[in-house]
Amino acid sequence: MSTTVILYGTESGNSELVAEDLAADLGGDRDVRVYDMSDFDVADFDTDDFYLVVCSTHGDGELPGGAKPLLEALNSEQPDLSGIRYAVFGLGNSTYETYSQGSEIIDRRFTELGAERVGVYGRHDACDGSLPNDGAVEWARELLVLV
C-alpha cells in the first residue's frame, strides 16, 4: 500500500491544523504521514507515495515561512519529480488580490519539476466564515477515491 504524505506550509498554524485533521480522517484507511514542509527533504520524494500539499498564503501573496525551506531546496537541488503525483489545498482570503497564491507557488514549482497534479485544486476562503478543516477533509475524501 502506498503512503499518503501530507506536506503543510504554515505561518500561523492553520495549515498544520488542517494537515492533522486530514491525517486523522484518512488514517484509518491509509498509511498517512504528515510533514512540516520545513522538515521534508526533497531526496525523500517517492513515486510510490501520493502527496497532499496544504499551504497557506502570507503577506502579499508570499509563501508562509514554513514552506520557504522546501521551495529553496526545490530551486537549488532541482530534483526530477517525474512520477510524483500530488494534490493541493490552498488557504487564503479572497478579499486579497493574491488569494491562495502561496499554494500556487508550490504547485507551479512541483509541475515545473515534472510532478503531476491530480484532482480538483482545493481552496479555503477565510472570508466565508467556514473552517478550513471541514472543507479540506471533504475535498480529500472526494479526491482520494480517484487516486
Side-chain angles (χ1 to χ4, degrees):
M1 175 158 79
S2 70
T3 299
T4 301
V5 177
I6 302 172
L7 299 173
Y8 68 87
T10 193
E11 187 72 34
S12 62
N14 288 336
S15 292
E16 181 177 6
L17 293 173
V18 169
E20 290 172 355
D21 279 3
L22 286 172
D25 188 73
L26 303 172
D29 298 331
R30 297 172 174 269
D31 177 22
V32 178
R33 298 196 182 140
V34 179
Y35 297 93
D36 185 325
M37 286 185 192
S38 63
D39 296 329
F40 188 79
D41 189 327
V42 295
D44 292 335
F45 276 109
D46 186 330
T47 57
D48 290 335
D49 297 337
F50 184 77
Y51 295 84
L52 291 179
V53 175
V54 179
C55 188
S56 62
T57 300
H58 184 66
D60 292 326
E62 297 138 19
L63 279 176
K68 289 180 180 177
L70 180 61
L71 181 65
E72 290 167 4
L74 291 170
N75 288 339
S76 65
E77 297 178 34
Q78 307 229 357
D80 179 4
L81 297 184
S82 299
I84 298 295
R85 296 179 347 132
Y86 71 100
V88 179
F89 191 84
L91 285 74
N93 184 322
S94 66
T95 62
Y96 291 88
E97 189 175 310
T98 56
Y99 170 58
S100 194
Q101 191 167 305
S103 65
E104 292 174 10
I105 293 168
I106 293 293
D107 175 51
R108 202 168 29 252
R109 194 63 185 135
F110 273 35
T111 299
E112 290 168 349
L113 293 170
E116 176 190 4
R117 181 165 48 87
V118 298
V120 175
Y121 199 114
R123 295 183 198 271
H124 176 261
D125 185 353
C127 77
D128 73 7
S130 67
L131 295 174
N133 311 39
D134 295 338
V137 166
E138 183 177 328
W139 165 81
R141 285 179 183 165
E142 291 175 10
L143 173 85
L144 293 174
V145 168
L146 306 172
V147 177

